[in-house]
Structures are given as structure tokens and as C-alpha cells.
Amino acid sequence: MGHPPFKKVLIANRGEIALRLIRACHELGIRTVAVHSTADAESLHVKLANECVCIGPPSPTESYLNIAAVISAAVATGSEAIHPGYGFLSENAAFAEICGQCGITFIGPSVKNMRLMADKAQARRTAIASGVPVVPGSEDAGIDAKVALKEAEAMGFPVLIKAVSGGGGRGMKIVEKAEDFERLFNQASREVEAAFNDPSLYVEKFIGQARHVEVQVIGDKAGNVIHLGERDCSIQRRYQKLIEESPAPLMDDETRAKMHESAVQLSKAIGYGSCGTIEFLYDPISKDFFFIEMNTRLQVEHPVTEMVTFTDIVKEQIWVASGREISYEQDLVRHRGHAIEARINAEDPITFTPSPGEIEGYHPPGGLGVRVDSGVYDRYIIPPFYDSLVAKIIVLAETREEAIRKMLVALDECIIGGIKTNLDLHRMVLNHEAFRSGNIHTKLLDTILEERAAKESSVERAA
Ligand code: MV4
């Protein structure tokens, strides 16, 4: 089998992703260290890792985001590397830098690449320079509303004001007309200064009714980069993704290939040496696609790509972090079938507020082509301090239609008692004719929710 990439890795995360990372490490023959808050002492990641260290009280800032506590745990346990998962410290360049200074390998990209892509205006400029199509927008990021208005007028309304230090939709504002611009710009500037300690904004032409399509890439420290195809993540609400799938439906092979090529081009241009995601907006009518941002981490939805390509992205990410080259060439990546992921959250189906508490009765779905990534069990008490993701159900079938049917059966089989979940919302989306036709877009979930609200109020009127 040869020697493993590391002897011991610390998992700086919790929940389903901590389990996913522990699994990959153990398959590679790596020993694992779990870190946890006092609220997570009964969590599965603590039980399944080889060792565990309590790093603080429930509040994320005092535990999973506590750099000194995480680094101390790694040093104390003799961990050679830290995997940050997603969220928490995964895109914190200062943390990655400190890991390096302490002689610990950060399992992720270089600090330089993290800083570059965290600055969304710099990311734009880098994409333009590497020949990748980018949304028309301001060349110069800044804080001057008058200068920005000139640029907005040149590109034409509606425009989108975005935070240089934002990303993932945080701090975004749509501006429909010139009269509203200065007021919204100054308001955005104050808000993002408070949120990110950086008031810098940039402006882009707003692309409505587009799809959110992202390309999974993986690179190594020798400069090789391959892509593992794309995912459509258009089914989202307030930038929280609900359903993801691969391949993206109703996209012709030529456009698909161009998008893959663009993602590889940008990654190669920056010498990207880990797994990462290049986000695009795709307009299915004009078939244009535009780079919007790059995520320099492992993403929640990585399993759909793993299912259709039969690759283990986490294992590859660990190998390249240890300095090994990518284990296969682009031509050897084969895509088969259609995968869909449904994010099952503990939340109120109407208000979307979190619904923590004790799980009373738990039965995850199973069968051929059904994967469940979860960190919960029967009688597990979901703490109120973290995000509400309970499980990801991922299905793989020969076609999109079969994958949808498989998912509907899996949802029916899934029992999660004692708490509120979004299982019914998933059924509603998967049964919706627009979703089934493949004509999906970033506003579809809002539309489906409006239809539901209208139906319910008409039922009320009839009663
Ligand atoms: C956009 C856009 C339209 N035009 N940029 C949202 C998350 C972040 N990664 C980038 N996002 C978007 N950027 C331009 N120039 C549309 C989105 C977007 C979106 C916007 C409104 C409502 C839902 C959305 C879902 C995905 C992406």
C-alpha cells in the first residue's frame, strides 16, 4: 500500500464533514484527532476519531474558530496536518499562515491563493487577465459612490453592488435605477465595513434569471490542474443552497467544455494546488457564462462530483497537500450518470428558522446509488449553536429523471423524528414541473415558495 501522506491529521470541524474527513484519513491509513466544543462532546466525530481534544465552550468564536486553541491541540497531539473542512477556518488565510509557521501542513491551497481569491475584486482582475469571461463590471474597486455611479451608468442598470471582502452573496445589493445608487452604495459600504472590517465595494452588471454553475478543480504543487466537471447549484434561497446536481442539465457539450477549460485556465494561471471551485453565472439563452468568484475550499456539495466521476476529492486533496502529484490525468476522468444532492436541514419549513433539539427516531435511506453524509444518530441532540445541516442525501442514477425518482424514494424512506426538517420542501421542488424540465434558475426556489404561499392562503380563504 505504500506509506500514507501523513501519520496524523487534526480535523478542525464538526458534523457531517468531520465524519467525511475522518473516513478519508482512515482509508489512507492516517490517524485522526477530533477537536470539539463542550456542546459537541457526544458528537460522532468525537467518537470516530482516534483521539479528541476539547477546545472550548459552545460559541464558535471560542471553539471551532479559536485559532490558538486549534493550533495548540494540533501541537499537543503531534498532528502533522490540519484539515479545516468547509466554513469555520477553511478560508482564513491568517490561520493557514500560522499553521505553516508552526510546521503544520494546512490541507488546502497556498496562503497566497487564499488571499488572492478572498479579495473578490482582485479575483475578477485575475480572471480577466487569464482570459476567462467575467461579468461586465467596475475595473477599480473602491469606496467612492460618485466614481462607482459613473461606472454603473456605463454598464447599464440593474447593477449589483458587491463587497470586495464578501463572497457567497454576503453584502450584495441589487440597484434597479440610477437614483437609488448612491444611497444603496453608501448603505452597503457601512454594512460591509461592520461585517468584514473593509468597506470596499465593486459593481457588476446584474445578470437575472441565470444559473449558478460551478466547476470543481484540483491542482497539485507541481502545477498540474484537472477539472472534475460542473455542478448546477441554482436551487438556493438567500444564497443557501438546497439542491445541487451534476452534470448541469440542458447545457450543450461545447459550452460545458468551454466552461471547464476556463476553470482550468484560471487555476493554472494562479498555480492553484488544492481542490477548489470556480463559480460561474450561466445564461442558458445566450449560452454565455461569466466567472463570479472562486471558493478555495472543499465544498458542501462535493459528493455529487464524487458520485459522477468516481473520485475521492478529499483523499486527492490530502495527497496533494502532502506534495504528491495528482494521481490521474484529465483524459482518465470519466463521467457517468447523474447525481443529485438534497441538503436536509433542521429548520421550520415555513419560517426557515433553525429547529434544534433531540432526534426521536432516525432512519436514513439506503440502496444502490444512495449515499448519506450525516453526523447524527437516533437520540442525538442537535445543539443550537451551529448550522442546521442534518444530512446530505446524494443519489446516483443513469439519467436525471431516474435520479429524481431515486431521490423521491429516498426522501420517503428517510425518517427524522422529533425536529422540524425540510424533507417536504425537497419533495415539492423535485416534483415541480420547472425543476423536472431542467429549466432551473436562481430564482426558481423563490418562485416555488411563492406558489406554495399563494396556494395556502387560497385554502385558508376557502375554509
Ligand atoms: C451575481 C448574480 C447576478 N449578477 N452577480 C450570489 C452568490 C455569489 N457567489 C454571487 N451571486 C450572484 N452574483 C451578478 N453580476 C447572481 C448571483 C446569485 C443570485 C442572486 C440573487 C438571488 C439568488 C442568487 C443565487 C445564486 C447567485
Side-chain angles (χ1 to χ4, degrees):
M1 182 187 135
H3 66 89
F6 300 103
K7 289 194 193 71
K8 197 191 271 192
V9 168
L10 181 139
I11 310 298
N13 216 300
R14 64 181 302 284
E16 67 86 18
I17 196 63
L19 265 63
R20 169 72 188 87
L21 304 177
I22 290 168
R23 227 172 252 143
C25 287
H26 290 180
E27 286 179 29
L28 288 168
I30 301 170
R31 285 184 60 81
T32 52
V33 179
V35 292
H36 67 92
S37 69
T38 52
D40 277 339
E42 300 302 319
S43 290
L44 277 179
H45 78 283
V46 175
K47 296 182 210 291
L48 292 178
N50 300 119
E51 296 169 53
C52 65
V53 180
C54 181
I55 51 166
S59 160
T61 54
E62 294 179 83
S63 50
Y64 299 102
L65 289 168
N66 183 340
I67 293 176
V70 172
I71 297 279
S72 303
V75 172
T77 54
S79 300
E80 294 171 70
I82 297 180
H83 199 307
Y86 54 69
F88 294 129
L89 297 169
S90 61
E91 290 181 286
N92 188 318
F95 173 69
E97 192 166 45
I98 293 168
C99 286
Q101 288 160 350
C102 296
I104 298 163
T105 302
F106 175 82
I107 300 177
S110 66
V111 173
K112 196 167 148 247
N113 281 176
M114 289 172 79
R115 291 225 162 93
L116 171 66
M117 290 301 166
D119 180 322
K120 303 301 167 186
Q122 225 181 312
R124 262 183 70 86
R125 287 194 290 274
T126 308
I128 293 167
S130 65
V132 171
V134 174
V135 194
S138 56
E139 284 309 306
D140 258 321
I143 47 168
D144 189 317
K146 293 235 164 21
V147 175
L149 174 59
K150 285 245 155 44
E151 291 178 313
E153 276 172 330
M155 62 189 92
F157 286 88
V159 300
L160 204 50
I161 298 172
K162 296 186 175 185
V164 168
S165 296
R170 292 170 305 165
M172 279 180 15
K173 280 205 195 314
I174 299 178
V175 188
E176 301 285 350
K177 50 189 194 297
E179 302 89 275
D180 298 339
F181 187 84
E182 281 195 52
R183 180 179 52 83
L184 289 170
F185 189 94
N186 291 323
Q187 189 190 334
S189 192
R190 284 191 301 274
E191 284 172 14
V192 306
E193 160 85 272
F196 312 119
N197 226 337
D198 174 10
S200 314
L201 302 169
Y202 64 108
V203 183
E204 276 180 2
K205 174 111 191 101
F206 179 69
I207 314 286
Q209 291 265 328
R211 295 189 191 158
H212 176 143
V213 182
E214 56 186 34
V215 178
Q216 176 73 57
V217 294
I218 181 141
D220 60 33
K221 291 175 185 172
N224 304 299
V225 178
I226 61 168
H227 72 80
L228 298 175
E230 80 289 348
R231 298 183 284 260
D232 187 296
C233 306
S234 298
I235 306 301
Q236 41 178 294
R237 181 187 167 272
R238 299 199 180 160
Y239 315 120
Q240 291 294 317
K241 294 167 186 163
L242 185 75
I243 296 173
E244 304 96 346
E245 60 184 301
S246 185
L250 306 181
M251 199 175 182
D252 66 70
D253 289 343
E254 196 187 326
T255 311
R256 206 187 298 278
K258 275 192 204 156
M259 189 184 278
H260 297 162
E261 191 47 46
S262 291
V264 170
Q265 218 170 293
L266 174 56
S267 307
K268 280 189 175 160
I270 64 171
Y272 194 75
S274 185
C275 67
T277 304
I278 322 281
E279 276 184 29
F280 295 97
L281 286 172
Y282 170 60
D283 177 344
I285 307 208
S286 67
K287 296 186 181 175
D288 290 329
F289 62 84
F290 305 100
F291 166 83
I292 37 178
E293 52 190 78
M294 178 171 188
N295 300 314
T296 57
R297 60 167 190 280
L298 177 71
Q299 287 192 269
V300 177
E301 60 271 28
H302 76 276
V304 293
T305 300
E306 294 188 323
M307 299 291 268
V308 292
T309 60
F310 210 81
T311 56
D312 187 318
I313 295 171
V314 178
K315 280 199 212 168
E316 282 301 316
Q317 185 192 20
I318 295 170
W319 272 119
V320 296
S322 78
R324 204 184 72 168
E325 290 190 32
I326 302 168
S327 56
Y328 33 83
E329 286 172 23
Q330 187 69 65
D331 296 348
L332 296 175
V333 180
R334 286 279 168 271
H335 298 257
R336 166 145 195 183
H338 197 101
I340 303 179
E341 172 177 276
R343 296 193 192 186
I344 312 303
N345 298 325
E347 66 190 16
D348 184 284
I350 306 296
T351 63
F352 293 95
T353 51
S355 173
E358 183 170 350
I359 295 181
E360 295 166 26
Y362 179 67
H363 176 78
L368 177 66
V370 179
R371 166 177 173 181
V372 179
D373 280 21
S374 174
V376 307
Y377 50 88
D378 192 22
R379 301 282 159 194
Y380 173 72
I381 300 170
I382 300 170
F385 312 104
Y386 313 106
D387 83 28
S388 56
L389 184 67
V390 178
K392 304 188 300 204
I393 302 176
I394 309 104
V395 297
L396 175 68
E398 215 47 76
T399 66
R400 185 170 189 267
E401 183 55 34
E402 286 174 83
I404 292 172
R405 293 170 67 92
K406 195 181 273 290
M407 182 65 85
L408 284 165
V409 172
L411 292 168
D412 280 342
E413 206 175 309
C414 186
I415 298 169
I416 304 175
I419 55 161
K420 294 174 188 169
T421 70
N422 60 355
L423 281 166
D424 277 339
L425 177 61
H426 279 292
R427 287 189 187 93
M428 196 168 68
V429 174
L430 293 163
N431 280 314
H432 196 280
E433 57 186 51
F435 182 84
R436 292 193 92 112
S437 74
N439 277 306
I440 54 182
H441 52 84
T442 54
K443 296 204 183 77
L444 181 59
L445 182 54
D446 289 332
T447 308
I448 294 174
L449 290 169
E450 280 162 24
E451 285 172 14
R452 178 180 71 176
K455 215 179 285 165
E456 272 157 18
S457 70
S458 78
V459 169
E460 255 166 52
R461 277 197 303 278

